[in-house]
Amino acid sequence: MFKPQVINRFNLYRNGSVLIGISGEVELPEVTNLTDTLEGSGTGGNLEVPVIGLTDTMDMKIPYTTLSKSAFAMMDPNETVDLMLNGAIQGMDSGSGKVSYSQMSIAVRGVVKTFSPGTVKAGGKMDSSVTLSLSYYKIVIDGTTMLEIDKLNGVYIVNGKDILKEVRNIRFHAERIRIDSKEQMIHS
């Protein structure tokens, strides 16, 4: 059985080109489900209930060692930014002890939320960064979609399972009924 240990290497790409100047660490967005409080008769008090498929803001900070043209290329507020992080997860087979690797790909889409130019110090890094507010987030490990959130298209997939498929089908069915009733009114 494969036991993951460390990220061996990774690259971050924008439009197929490697982003030059990013630091050695990128913090991935946290996923927090929106919740509502269920209270009333029979609940035994308040209960936080997640609203399936609705998430709080997902932000991703892209750190740079210094100011970089690729950072400024992401700052057009009228354009979305598509990024792809590809890396190798190094692990060990628990039975044989042999080292092996697993492929990891992370795709995000968002718009610039924050630009931090950093600090200027002779002989030092600037620690510049661009923070994106994401509408799309996908994690794939060894070809399997482990997480996919597309806020604009109602997609929420976890461990290969389409969590919102039933919701999308209900929504489509309701829209179809409205269209059918309009057509009947026209033909009457």
Side-chain angles (χ1 to χ4, degrees):
M1 173 181 227
F2 180 75
K3 300 279 188 177
Q5 296 172 322
V6 297
I7 300 298
N8 187 290
R9 302 274 195 293
F10 78 92
N11 276 319
L12 187 62
Y13 301 87
R14 178 169 186 254
N15 300 331
S17 299
V18 174
L19 291 179
I20 304 299
I22 65 165
S23 70
E25 185 174 328
V26 175
E27 186 173 339
L28 298 176
E30 183 176 274
V31 176
T32 302
N33 293 313
L34 294 182
T35 62
D36 198 1
T37 303
L38 178 64
E39 56 184 300
S41 177
T43 62
N46 293 341
L47 179 65
E48 288 291 315
V49 179
V51 183
I52 307 299
L54 297 183
T55 61
D56 205 353
T57 302
M58 298 180 296
D59 292 338
M60 183 172 176
K61 183 177 180 180
I62 313 300
Y64 287 86
T65 53
T66 64
L67 289 175
S68 168
K69 289 182 180 180
S70 65
F72 287 97
M74 289 190 263
M75 291 184 51
D76 184 339
N78 293 315
E79 299 289 330
T80 58
V81 177
D82 290 331
L83 298 177
M84 175 69 77
L85 185 149
N86 289 325
I89 301 171
Q90 178 180 314
M92 183 178 288
D93 184 279
S94 60
S96 68
K98 180 182 176 193
V99 173
S100 60
Y101 302 92
S102 181
Q103 180 186 12
M104 171 188 69
S105 295
I106 298 168
V108 298
R109 175 177 296 128
V111 293
V112 68
K113 178 177 179 179
T114 308
F115 169 64
S116 176
T119 58
V120 178
K121 176 182 172 186
K125 297 176 183 172
M126 292 183 73
D127 294 323
S128 306
S129 66
V130 173
T131 301
L132 301 177
S133 178
L134 303 183
S135 61
Y136 183 83
Y137 185 22
K138 183 175 185 178
I139 300 173
V140 177
I141 298 177
D142 287 334
T144 300
T145 299
M146 303 308 293
L147 176 71
E148 184 174 11
I149 299 171
D150 186 343
K151 289 184 161 212
L152 302 177
N153 292 298
V155 174
Y156 193 84
I157 296 172
V158 178
N159 201 25
K161 181 180 177 186
D162 188 348
I163 305 296
L164 291 179
K165 182 178 181 178
E166 184 178 354
V167 173
R168 284 193 311 275
N169 288 341
I170 290 169
R171 193 174 68 195
F172 174 76
H173 182 69
E175 290 172 6
R176 186 72 222 152
I177 290 171
R178 276 197 306 268
I179 292 169
D180 288 344
S181 63
K182 285 181 184 178
E183 288 175 1
Q184 286 177 357
M185 289 173 52
I186 291 171
H187 296 297
S188 299

